[in-house]
Amino acid sequence: MPRRKTGKASKPEEDDAAAPLLQDGGADLEAQRLYDDEGSTSAVSMQSSFGPGTEGDGDGDDEMKSRKSKRGSRSRLISGGGTEKKDMTRWDAVLWWLIGTLNNISFVICAASAKDILPTSVGVVYLANSFPSLIIRLSAPYWFDMVSYELRMFGCFVMFISGFGLVALAPGTGLKLVGVMLVSSQCGLGETSMLALQSRYGNTALTAWSSGTGAAGILGYFYVVLVNRWIGLSSESTLLIACCFGLLYYAIFLQFTIPPPPTMASEDFDSLNTSSNNLSLTVSDRLRLTLSLWKWGVPLIVVYFAEYAMQSGTWSAIGIPDVSDADQRATFYQNANWCYQVGVLISRSSGMLWRPSLPTLWVMPIAQVGLLVASTLNAAEHWWYDNSLLLASVVVGLFGGAVYVNGFRMIGEEVNADVRELAIAAAAVSCDIGTNIGEGVGVLVQSWIYTQNGIKER
């Protein structure tokens, strides 16, 4: 596996006391106390997530600093404390935009080709394209800090190429679905890894990444339309050519200059393990860290649930002007998804321009659920039933993209630097939880609207 450049950072100063779990009065984790050799009690040390601490000048100072840093450190995981981050150049921003686009374009291409992959059961393709990603994100907090970014992204590259190769060339349906699952795994592993990594760079990297993932929706669908429908190549050829995106994806990652973790000195930084040194966290610690992120995770779950329930359910049951016409339903569905992707691209690109508060972050998912309810009732009753409905699809994309970029920004600002990357990786599962629930509810929503409109086709 090719080596990649690594950055340097100066040693940060040690803190004498542990940081608070959550700013603004969040819940504390209970300190777990063990007896030391002298019989007195002290808190068990929560070692740095992403590298060892710096050394003191003498044995006595080392022991004193060690005891101070241990005291209460297990009980407090999350803080708004600042940390040294890599200075971003324009080239860095371009790399982050490109890697975001190429990471998610694989998912979009598979979704856009679902009817060609398995014409009789598109829903199965969607499930294969989302469920493996959910499993990876659920497990991420328990192993990500033990595997380097290089190894994870190399795995993404292999899954990207082999996934599209199987979908394009495999003779049977089962192997084609395995290919889709590999693509889903690549997308989930890559997104979770790069979201965690951007915390070493700051908000510019997060905005560039988010903008790239927003662009992936438009570019992925455009690629399929261009190659398959306009140029006229077969679906198999369209998917096989997509392997080129995998080569470009990994080549771009190799251009990254990854800085060391914020708590690690540059001379201690192992270029072959740019993820972290193994965390001294138990499974219980990791679970509690994940659950402590609820105030950002819940808005992500809810906003994704509402938008995917609309995409897979409501929009698929609207046809203007005649809902009984399958072609008109297909046309509205396609146009609504294009408009949605435009909204996502705009809002995910706004991270440097608009920084909403936490209450606003919660208001947007509530408004998204309101749009879900209103649009579903409207699809059944036809109160507002013309192509101006597409404006609502843009708003859905704006809400979804804004919660994504600002939710992860807030986590990066609030979480203690020692566990920041692990926390962001843990929070990323919220997106997949909301997506999978929304797709399931969408099946029921579509069926209900069909019944209300007297549509027999399923």
Side-chain angles (χ1 to χ4, degrees):
M1 189 171 63
R3 283 201 174 205
R4 206 200 1 70
K5 298 173 286 184
T6 56
K8 293 184 178 294
S10 58
K11 290 186 178 181
E13 296 181 0
E14 287 192 45
D15 294 327
D16 287 341
L21 171 64
L22 293 170
Q23 278 192 324
D24 306 324
D28 288 346
L29 299 178
E30 290 292 333
Q32 180 178 354
R33 301 194 176 276
L34 299 176
Y35 284 97
D36 60 17
D37 293 336
E38 299 175 359
S40 62
T41 59
S42 64
V44 178
S45 173
M46 179 77 74
Q47 294 183 0
S48 165
S49 305
F50 296 96
T54 54
E55 296 183 358
D57 295 331
D59 293 341
D61 290 341
D62 285 347
E63 183 178 357
M64 181 67 70
K65 289 181 179 179
S66 175
R67 293 195 177 205
K68 286 182 178 181
S69 65
K70 288 179 181 179
R71 191 173 300 125
S73 63
R74 194 180 198 91
S75 64
R76 312 268 186 176
L77 287 179
I78 300 183
S79 162
T83 183
E84 183 175 344
K85 296 184 179 180
K86 183 182 184 300
D87 292 334
M88 286 283 292
T89 65
R90 289 184 179 179
W91 177 238
D92 288 327
V94 169
L95 288 176
W96 275 103
W97 191 90
L98 289 172
I99 199 88
T101 301
L102 292 169
N103 186 84
N104 283 26
I105 204 170
S106 57
F107 172 88
V108 176
I109 291 173
C110 275
S113 305
K115 286 189 176 181
D116 296 317
I117 296 171
L118 193 58
T120 58
S121 189
V122 173
V124 174
V125 178
Y126 272 87
L127 182 62
N129 202 24
S130 58
F131 189 70
S133 174
L134 172 62
I135 298 302
I136 285 178
R137 295 183 200 239
L138 279 171
S139 67
Y142 305 97
W143 61 275
F144 259 34
D145 57 298
M146 305 174 194
V147 182
S148 69
Y149 284 106
E150 285 89 351
L151 186 56
R152 279 184 259 159
M153 295 304 291
F154 181 74
C156 288
F157 163 66
V158 171
M159 289 188 288
F160 199 125
I161 299 295
S162 58
F164 276 109
L166 274 176
V167 176
L169 303 175
T173 299
L175 285 177
K176 287 183 180 293
L177 290 176
V178 169
V180 175
M181 293 173 71
L182 285 171
V183 171
S184 172
S185 300
Q186 167 268 312
C187 187
L189 178 60
E191 182 168 21
T192 307
S193 296
M194 298 307 290
L195 273 172
L197 180 59
Q198 61 76 29
S199 66
R200 300 188 191 180
Y201 292 75
N203 197 39
T204 302
L206 175 60
T207 301
W209 160 270
S210 300
S211 176
T213 59
I218 296 175
L219 296 177
Y221 275 101
F222 178 74
Y223 166 77
V224 173
V225 170
L226 173 66
V227 177
N228 183 234
R229 300 179 189 175
W230 294 353
I231 297 178
L233 295 183
S234 67
S235 177
E236 290 77 9
S237 297
T238 301
L239 293 165
L240 193 59
I241 294 171
C243 291
C244 296
F245 291 128
L247 294 170
L248 183 59
Y249 173 63
Y250 190 57
I252 288 173
F253 174 73
L254 293 176
Q255 301 307 306
F256 274 74
T257 303
I258 298 182
T263 55
M264 185 185 296
S266 58
E267 58 266 31
D268 296 327
F269 183 48
D270 181 359
S271 64
L272 294 180
N273 185 18
T274 50
S275 172
S276 68
N277 286 343
N278 293 350
L279 266 166
S280 296
L281 297 177
T282 66
V283 172
S284 177
D285 291 331
R286 293 165 191 264
L287 178 60
R288 286 184 291 171
L289 173 61
T290 301
L291 295 178
S292 71
L293 304 171
W294 65 270
K295 68 179 181 179
W296 306 288
V298 170
L300 284 165
I301 291 173
V302 174
V303 81
Y304 268 77
F305 152 74
E307 66 190 57
Y308 275 88
M310 275 185 275
Q311 280 184 310
S312 61
T314 307
W315 297 347
S316 64
I318 296 175
I320 295 173
D322 184 5
V323 70
S324 63
D325 188 318
D327 289 337
Q328 292 183 15
R329 291 199 303 272
T331 298
F332 181 85
Y333 179 78
Q334 184 180 56
N335 292 339
N337 275 281
W338 278 107
C339 291
Y340 162 79
Q341 296 294 347
V342 170
V344 170
L345 175 59
I346 293 171
S347 58
R348 287 196 180 192
S349 303
S350 67
M352 301 296 293
L353 303 175
W354 184 51
R355 297 168 62 90
S357 63
L358 183 61
T360 304
L361 190 76
W362 277 75
V363 166
M364 288 186 285
I366 295 171
Q368 193 85 299
V369 172
L371 282 172
L372 169 61
V373 173
S375 63
T376 299
L377 293 174
N378 182 61
E381 300 297 333
H382 299 194
W383 302 315
W384 172 23
Y385 216 70
D386 56 45
N387 282 315
S388 62
L389 274 173
L390 295 172
L391 294 174
S393 301
V394 177
V395 175
V396 170
L398 290 172
F399 282 151
V403 173
Y404 178 95
V405 67
N406 288 289
F408 287 110
R409 172 186 61 81
M410 290 180 185
I411 294 172
E413 292 174 349
E414 295 287 337
V415 176
N416 189 300
D418 288 351
V419 291
R420 182 171 296 145
E421 291 173 55
L422 198 64
I424 292 174
V429 73
S430 302
C431 304
D432 274 11
I433 290 174
T435 298
N436 281 269
I437 296 174
E439 288 176 347
V441 171
V443 174
L444 302 177
V445 168
Q446 182 192 46
S447 178
W448 182 77
I449 296 173
Y450 272 21
T451 300
Q452 296 300 112
N453 286 293
I455 301 172
K456 302 298 182 183
E457 178 188 351
R458 292 293 186 269

